[in-house]
Amino acid sequence: MRRALVAQRPTPTNESLAGMVVDGIGWESMSPEQALDELRPGDTALGRLDVLPTLDGIDDGMWALGALEARRVVVLNDAAALLATHDKLLTARLLRRAGLPHPRTAHIRPDRPFPAVRPPVVVKPRFGSGGTAVTLCPDEDALVDTLARLSSTPWFEQQGVLVQELVPPQEYDLRILVAGQRVVGAIFRIAAEGEWRTNIALGGARRPVADPPAQACDIALAAAHAAGTALVGVDLVQDGLGDWTVIELNGAVEFTREYQPAGDVFADVAAELARQATATLGAAAAA
């Protein structure tokens, strides 16, 4: 039996997870082509395909995840789950269907009527990462200027842009890491000075959270279930009443040892994923 992380490029998280051994079986890093070449029925593949740097879709390889499933390889974070977490429009629809708190979202396309939206809002790419091209628009003039600036980008022409109601920035957010059906770690992300976005790529800082709020954990678990993920980062912020709202999901989430101050988050994630794969195999054998 083999267990593979299927990705197009190495990352610190993939390298750390690939060093984990569960029940005598180590996780390996593979490209989509390599996974399709080497994995057999009963093996496990974890989809770690990420958003393209060009913001116009997902890394090549979704086709391989579907082909592996057809071969009876257990695929965790399959193509549907990755699409549900990387496509922010689909994320919004799935969370709304599940009754989970999420900012109201409008989809603006260059060839369609402009939907009614009232600032303050946040404008963001449909496929995005690291806070790139995410813009806070406090009024209509800022919104019009932002849309005019983005209208010539290839990703806007292909997929449009999302406009979300603003949850007032608190200069921090909470990222909860869900593996299998369990919360395995969390951090607060603190925005850099003079920055409202909390992304680490924009200078934000991590602060470990030993005991994340119960309400936030319940919402994160429900969001992971709604998206069909086996491993996901759930980003949440508090609204004016102190309740937690899901801002984004990340199906190729990067994480560090800070997510679990008193343990080994990589070992925990690897064990939870192996447990879910074993349960999936058992259910398939019993069917």
Side-chain angles (χ1 to χ4, degrees), residues 243-255:
D243 294 323
W244 291 96
T245 295
V246 178
I247 296 299
E248 291 187 357
L249 305 180
N250 190 333
V253 59
E254 288 289 302
F255 53 94

Side-chain angles (χ1 to χ4, degrees), residues 171-192:
E171 299 184 351
Y172 74 92
D173 67 9
L174 175 65
R175 171 169 285 178
I176 291 180
L177 184 64
V178 176
Q181 300 177 25
R182 191 165 74 86
V183 170
V184 294
I187 58 164
F188 283 120
R189 299 189 304 174
I190 313 299

Side-chain angles (χ1 to χ4, degrees), residues 51-55 88 122-135 149-150 153 155 161 195-197 199 201-202 248:
V51 172
L52 288 165
T54 50
L55 309 183
K88 296 180 184 0
V122 174
V123 176
K124 59 178 60 175
R126 186 167 170 177
F127 294 87
S129 179
T132 303
V134 176
T135 306
R149 174 172 52 83
L150 296 176
T153 61
W155 57 263
V161 70
E195 175 62 70
W196 67 278
R197 294 164 294 182
N199 306 83
L202 298 174
E248 291 187 357

Side-chain angles (χ1 to χ4, degrees), residues 66-131:
L68 289 169
E69 283 189 293
R71 189 183 292 175
R72 299 195 305 279
V73 172
V74 176
V75 179
L76 307 177
N77 276 19
D78 59 11
L82 291 179
L83 193 60
T85 55
H86 289 327
D87 180 348
K88 296 180 184 0
L89 179 60
L90 181 55
T91 299
R93 290 172 174 170
L94 289 171
L95 293 177
R96 180 177 179 180
R97 183 185 304 167
L100 294 170
H102 185 65
R104 287 192 297 272
T105 301
H107 183 206
I108 293 178
R109 294 284 300 269
D111 57 344
R112 295 182 184 176
F114 192 91
V117 292
R118 176 176 292 180
V121 294
V122 174
V123 176
K124 59 178 60 175
R126 186 167 170 177
F127 294 87
S129 179

